[in-house]
Amino acid sequence: MNITQEKTGNLNAVVKIKIAPADYSGKVEKAIKDQAKKAQLPGFRKGMVPPAHIKKMYGKSILVEEVNNLLNDTLSNYIAEQKLEILGQPLPQMDDAREFKWDNTDEFEFDYELGLAPAFEVNISSKDKFTQYVVKADQETLESRIKNIRRSYGKMTNPEVSAADDVLYVELTQLSPDGSVFEGGITSTATVRLDQIKDKKILKSLIGLKKDDEVTIDIQKALEDAAVIAKALNISEEDAAELKSNFKLVVKNVNRLEEADLNQEFFDKLFGEGTVTDEAGFRAKIQEEVESMFTQDAERKLSNDIYEQLLAKHNFELPDEFLRRWLKATNEKLTDEELVEGYDDFAKNLKWTLIENKIIKDNSIEIKYEDVVQAAKAKLDAQFRMYSPSPLPEDQLAQYAVQFLQEKENANRTFEEVKALKTFEQIKSIVTLEQKDIDYDKFVALEK
């Protein structure tokens, strides 16, 4: 076997592999004998089919399979031995002038095009400066969070008259332009949350209603969101977006979620027995929780700022034409238009991956299984806390994390998240971070 490499550009190469009969004949003969032992053919007992018979019937397909296996192993080993850093996968070069007999006497030659990763150094120092925002919770946000938590632990009542923030159980009937019931139109029973009504005039008309009261509403103005309208009327979002009718709303019931009392029983349910003993401690805990969520938003912005600035600073080339051909070859449904539109983002993310891998390698950063498990636990804990601020027991959370990571996609995604986290931690230990306090509203405006 003969393997050679030819550079065809700064970041491109072609590997030529020549295979002689001596390289593959032994593998082919072994494969034929193995298949003869397993074959079940009419007229022969199992395991007693002559290899010559198998060769006559399946010899060419076995030869093709063994040559392909040999090619794949040879190419993979060559790339590893030569320590070639490639992008994508090798692309076979088609040569219509070459014809093979596939009769166990052929000398094969196959060419593979490689896209090579560029050589570069990561240039990061304390001269690189970034703003690290410390986002403060405003009173309105805190009160909203406190209200939602108290309601989630409250009890449902059915008052006679509706008030703001109540939930109405209603019957909706589509009306004609003249105000009469639209024959064959939409009718539906639904729950309507008054805190979702944005139109002040419509909201006012829905406050003070009793069972069996009727009002007429413009469904688009009342609910605005096509998905909410679709759910209320049991129709598709497309139809909901086009709907222009008024609806008669008849109240069937008024539901009210009373807020839980700020007492010791409530505090113990939320935070564990004796952790919080008064309203001041409760509010401090909620502020801590809210600002913790804001910290995550601020960290995302900092990471994005680092991403953009370091990409601009490390402006190395990629084997773009090879990568375009590779993307087309490995994504059959990818159109030329989609390739043109999406390639810049693909190249940008690939460049960042190369920078990230370089930082990991240069700093001997390890990503251990324990790190991935901890990340999974943190992710699941955050999800559970969306429904209840009280934490899950550690052993139960660990069990959920192990189950979560048994899904290959979850494990790979979590591994990449840990890798990104460790990369940014390394970067932040080098660059200069200038902390700045900011109100939440102003912080949100920065991201627009």
Side-chain angles (χ1 to χ4, degrees), residues 21-39:
D23 300 316
Y24 62 79
S25 57
K27 297 178 181 293
V28 171
E29 291 302 317
K30 183 179 183 303
I32 289 172
K33 289 177 182 178
D34 289 344
Q35 189 158 332
K37 293 176 183 178
K38 302 173 185 175

Side-chain angles (χ1 to χ4, degrees), residues 268-331:
D268 289 346
K269 282 182 182 179
L270 282 178
F271 307 112
E273 189 173 346
T275 303
V276 170
T277 57
D278 56 22
E279 183 176 345
F282 164 71
R283 287 180 172 275
K285 275 281 189 182
I286 299 304
Q287 181 169 351
E288 180 183 328
E289 175 205 298
V290 171
E291 292 187 347
S292 174
M293 290 189 288
F294 290 168
T295 298
Q296 295 174 26
D297 294 338
E299 283 299 306
R300 275 193 291 270
K301 175 165 177 54
L302 175 59
S303 295
N304 188 62
D305 291 345
I306 291 172
Y307 170 85
E308 294 292 346
Q309 187 167 314
L310 293 189
L311 273 176
K313 188 174 183 180
H314 298 82
N315 190 26
F316 48 79
E317 293 183 348
L318 295 175
D320 294 310
E321 290 308 312
F322 168 83
L323 290 171
R324 289 188 178 94
R325 290 197 300 276
W326 172 70
L327 287 169
K328 283 287 286 182
T330 54
N331 297 273

Side-chain angles (χ1 to χ4, degrees), residues 40-218:
Q40 289 182 296
L41 298 177
F44 298 96
R45 285 184 295 163
K46 183 178 180 181
M48 299 301 290
V49 181
H53 193 69
I54 295 294
K55 184 174 182 178
K56 182 178 179 181
M57 295 182 66
Y58 306 112
K60 183 173 286 190
S61 62
I62 291 174
L63 174 60
V64 170
E65 183 177 355
E66 290 303 319
V67 168
N68 278 333
N69 290 339
L70 182 59
L71 274 172
N72 290 334
D73 291 345
T74 300
L75 185 58
S76 297
N77 292 337
Y78 178 80
I79 290 170
E81 290 166 1
Q82 298 295 314
K83 298 181 179 179
L84 298 177
E85 294 189 40
I86 66 170
L87 302 177
Q89 286 99 30
L91 287 179
Q93 288 190 328
M94 308 307 294
D95 187 348
D96 295 333
R98 291 177 186 165
E99 292 186 7
F100 303 122
K101 298 187 294 293
W102 296 100
D103 63 357
N104 294 286
T105 63
D106 273 327
E107 289 194 356
F108 299 103
E109 182 177 328
F110 298 93
D111 299 344
Y112 291 88
E113 185 180 2
L114 307 182
L116 304 177
F120 65 96
E121 295 299 324
V122 175
N123 179 18
I124 306 174
S125 72
S126 59
K127 293 180 181 179
D128 296 300
K129 296 181 180 181
F130 299 92
T131 301
Q132 187 174 41
Y133 291 101
V134 179
V135 185
K136 298 297 183 182
D138 59 89
Q139 197 61 32
E140 183 180 350
T141 302
L142 286 175
E143 292 302 328
S144 175
R145 178 61 178 158
I146 288 170
K147 181 177 182 179
N148 287 337
I149 291 174
R150 291 180 67 182
R151 292 183 72 183
S152 66
Y153 281 82
K155 60 181 180 179
M156 186 70 72
T157 60
N158 300 110
E160 290 188 8
V161 181
S162 65
D165 293 336
D166 284 347
V167 177
L168 303 182
Y169 183 62
V170 301
E171 182 179 88
L172 295 166
T173 305
Q174 189 176 11
L175 301 178
S176 299
D178 64 2
S180 62
V181 173
F182 183 59
E183 187 176 349
I186 300 167
T187 59
S188 176
T189 53
T191 54
V192 176
R193 287 176 48 183
L194 297 192
D195 63 351
Q196 289 185 335
I197 306 295
K198 305 301 181 186
D199 187 283
K200 292 182 179 179
K201 186 176 180 181
I202 293 175
L203 176 60
K204 186 177 180 181
S205 72
L206 297 176
I207 293 174
L209 298 181
K210 299 187 295 295
K211 185 178 179 181
D212 297 327
D213 282 352
E214 297 181 9
V215 293
T216 298
I217 63 170
D218 181 329

